Amino acid sequence: MDLFSIMIKIFDLGSYTLIPLEEFLIYKEYKNEEIQVFSYEPDIDQHTYYKNNLLIEYFKSEYPNLFLTISKDAIYTKPGQIDYVEVLPIKNWKYDPLDGSEWTVSTDTNNRSFISSPAIKTIVNTVDINIILENNIKETDFVIIRMDIEGCEFNVLSRILENDKLCEMIDEIYLEWHDFFWEKGDVWW
């Protein structure tokens, strides 16, 4: 690694199966660039999936200049612990219809109905996004944040915006939008 070259650093927040990371690398047309990826995924089942499907080995073979670090912590606005809701794996309803017992129907504040899958609530460790960034980036890095953290995007983005110096060092942010977590300018949690 050339110490004088620009290092691409990707913070993959909510890594899920790691497939979105690869889709992102393909979208950005990154193949041989030197890239350091910091992946955060609190769902323990996903880490088993990584191991069982040899995903770490796959990334090493397909992206020889990619340095991948995977954490079981959840990205948040402060270190500690938080309730984490895991959606249970459900049959694909298009090909394997459900009998309805696995799902619940709820109504939001606008009286719109929506269907929810069953879920398990667990407690996971959290890390402060700003501390992670402060400890891992420098001004010469090209910093990308890819954020898919199931409704915490707004809280985490707000936390990043508290630090002007960090904001100046972030080059690109890609985030998933959950409009059902946003109403009248307030962040829901």
Side-chain angles (χ1 to χ4, degrees):
M1 186 181 314
D2 182 0
L3 294 176
F4 298 103
S5 65
I6 293 176
M7 172 61 81
I8 299 169
K9 293 191 178 173
I10 299 173
F11 292 83
D12 186 26
L13 313 180
S15 303
Y16 189 52
T17 61
L18 290 178
I19 293 170
L21 172 60
E22 182 168 40
E23 291 171 341
F24 184 76
L25 293 170
I26 292 168
Y27 165 74
K28 295 293 287 181
E29 298 181 356
Y30 292 152
K31 184 67 175 177
N32 296 309
E33 291 80 0
E34 289 187 351
I35 303 171
Q36 188 169 10
V37 177
F38 301 87
S39 290
Y40 289 84
E41 177 55 59
D43 186 340
I44 297 302
D45 291 338
Q46 294 304 327
H47 293 268
T48 303
Y49 176 83
Y50 306 157
K51 184 178 180 181
N52 291 346
N53 291 288
L54 304 173
L55 288 178
I56 309 304
E57 291 76 8
Y58 169 78
F59 273 94
K60 286 179 183 175
S61 68
E62 287 296 309
Y63 300 93
N65 296 319
L66 185 136
F67 305 94
L68 179 61
T69 304
I70 301 175
S71 173
K72 295 176 183 172
D73 294 325
I75 287 291
Y76 197 52
T77 58
K78 61 186 176 189
Q81 293 186 323
I82 197 169
D83 289 336
Y84 174 74
V85 178
E86 298 177 57
V87 177
L88 295 177
I90 301 297
K91 301 176 194 174
N92 184 325
W93 63 270
K94 284 184 176 179
Y95 305 104
D96 210 352
L98 302 170
D99 65 11
S101 63
E102 298 94 341
W103 299 84
T104 58
V105 178
S106 304
T107 307
D108 67 12
T109 56
N110 294 321
N111 210 25
R112 294 177 297 201
S113 295
F114 60 95
I115 300 173
S116 300
S117 61
I120 299 173
K121 188 160 86 169
T122 58
I123 296 177
V124 297
N125 292 325
T126 61
V127 291
D128 183 325
I129 183 61
N130 284 2
I131 292 171
I132 295 300
L133 293 172
E134 288 166 359
N135 290 337
N136 290 291
I137 64 175
K138 56 185 188 277
E139 291 181 15
T140 57
D141 294 333
F142 188 84
V143 179
I144 301 170
I145 297 175
R146 193 197 75 77
M147 195 181 326
D148 181 0
I149 50 178
E150 302 311 316
C152 289
E153 291 90 352
F154 304 109
N155 294 350
V156 170
L157 186 57
S158 294
R159 174 75 175 129
I160 294 169
L161 293 172
E162 292 172 6
N163 187 319
D164 291 340
K165 184 175 180 182
L166 283 179
C167 290
E168 291 173 10
M169 294 193 311
I170 297 169
D171 297 282
E172 297 177 1
I173 296 178
Y174 299 81
L175 71 124
E176 182 181 46
W177 179 268
H178 289 281
D179 64 342
F180 53 87
F181 286 105
W182 187 266
E183 182 169 299
K184 298 179 186 167
D186 296 325
V187 176
W188 289 2
W189 174 245

